Amino acid sequence: MMLSLGVGAITGCSTAPKQQKEIIPAQRTLNENDGENYPMRIYDPLERFNRGAYKFNAKFDQFVFLPAVQVYEFVTPEIAQTGISNFFSNLNELTNLTNSILQLKPKSSMYAVSRFLINSTVGIGGLWDHASVWGIHKHPEDFGQTLGHYGVGNGPYLVLPILGPMNARDGTGRLVDSLAYSAVFYWQAFNLNAHRGAGSAFAATRAVNTRKQIKFRYYKSGSPFEYDLIRYLYTQKRKLEIAK
């Protein structure tokens, strides 16, 4: 070994085989470097709790959510998966419509109305997305965006079990949307309160379908600062969605 190192030093190159560098998780968070100004630093006073929730979500995703998605994809024909995705997307136009109206966005409001009417009729209850084929594309809006539109700040960053990353403003918005649409429109329209089994199946299918649409996989980013990266990307994404 000493001979090999000596030869490498004399010739200016090492004879040891190259090894791929292992990605080592960060030992310190960006927020701990108080003397430095990092663009990725986000207001995160609950970081200890948030990191614990992030790890919990990674395990939940690995052992519950993703296996459920795999079973769903295995037992459900692809054409049915597309129809189910379109169905829930069409219901969500009610959220888009209400928040577009609250933000005084006539174009987004007209798109939401048009999409809902077209897909609910020609698309047979939203199972087919004819509106997109005809060039009438979705304009997603939620109550968190509505609050941001009127100047409500982000508040502290949050990672909640199962629900994932958000901030205080968007968490409030998500709660309002959930109460207004899931509890009122969806459950009342389909009378799911009288059919608990159907209601549970509805909620579970919606959750699995939503996870299926998200390509993100925990700890696959290749970054030792994945938590900080997701926090930054989420915050920037919401800024762009509110500004549009």
Side-chain angles (χ1 to χ4, degrees):
M1 178 63 70
M2 293 298 295
L3 178 61
S4 175
L5 292 174
V7 172
I10 293 172
T11 59
C13 64
S14 173
T15 58
K18 293 184 178 180
Q19 296 181 350
Q20 185 176 3
K21 291 185 178 180
E22 180 183 0
I23 297 175
I24 302 174
Q27 301 301 309
R28 299 171 62 191
T29 71
L30 293 181
N31 283 359
E32 289 176 345
N33 299 310
D34 294 328
E36 302 293 337
N37 182 24
Y38 290 98
M40 289 179 62
R41 179 177 290 165
I42 306 297
Y43 181 51
D44 190 2
L46 302 174
E47 184 171 355
R48 183 182 297 274
F49 168 82
N50 289 339
R51 285 184 178 272
Y54 190 89
K55 293 177 181 178
F56 170 83
N57 288 343
K59 294 297 183 183
F60 184 86
D61 202 55
Q62 179 182 359
F63 295 110
V64 179
F65 243 150
L66 292 182
V69 169
Q70 292 171 353
V71 171
Y72 171 75
E73 291 177 327
F74 180 78
V75 302
T76 308
E78 188 171 346
I79 188 172
Q81 294 180 40
T82 301
I84 290 170
S85 180
N86 290 338
F87 172 78
F88 285 115
S89 178
N90 188 53
L91 288 180
N92 201 49
E93 292 297 345
L94 296 172
T95 305
N96 300 334
L97 173 61
T98 304
N99 285 290
S100 293
I101 293 173
L102 290 174
Q103 295 175 48
L104 305 179
K105 293 182 176 180
K107 182 178 180 181
S108 296
S109 300
M110 288 303 301
Y111 268 75
V113 170
S114 300
R115 284 182 57 82
F116 185 76
L117 293 178
I118 291 170
N119 289 338
S120 295
T121 54
V122 181
I124 310 178
L127 296 177
W128 282 269
D129 185 6
H130 286 289
S132 292
V133 175
W134 295 349
I136 307 174
H137 299 291
K138 180 183 284 289
H139 287 236
E141 300 288 348
D142 57 60
F143 196 67
Q145 290 171 249
T146 299
L147 293 175
H149 176 79
Y150 288 104
V152 178
N154 294 345
Y157 181 73
L158 295 172
V159 180
L160 296 182
I162 302 177
L163 298 179
M166 62 184 73
N167 53 47
R169 181 201 60 220
D170 292 341
T172 302
R174 191 176 299 189
L175 177 62
V176 171
D177 284 337
S178 178
L179 292 176
Y181 304 106
S182 296
V184 179
F185 290 123
Y186 302 162
W187 287 77
Q188 294 297 327
F190 297 107
N191 196 25
L192 295 178
N193 286 317
H195 303 85
R196 295 294 181 180
S200 298
F202 181 92
T205 303
R206 186 184 180 195
V208 171
N209 174 72
T210 299
R211 183 64 186 94
K212 178 179 178 293
Q213 310 305 317
I214 302 172
K215 303 303 181 184
F216 172 75
R217 296 294 183 267
Y218 285 91
Y219 302 125
K220 299 294 184 181
S221 66
S223 170
F225 292 99
E226 182 173 284
Y227 172 87
D228 305 87
L229 178 63
I230 297 303
R231 182 178 59 187
Y232 173 78
L233 291 177
Y234 173 84
T235 303
Q236 296 305 312
K237 173 177 177 290
R238 292 300 286 173
K239 284 182 180 179
L240 292 173
E241 290 173 342
I242 291 169
K244 76 179 188 303

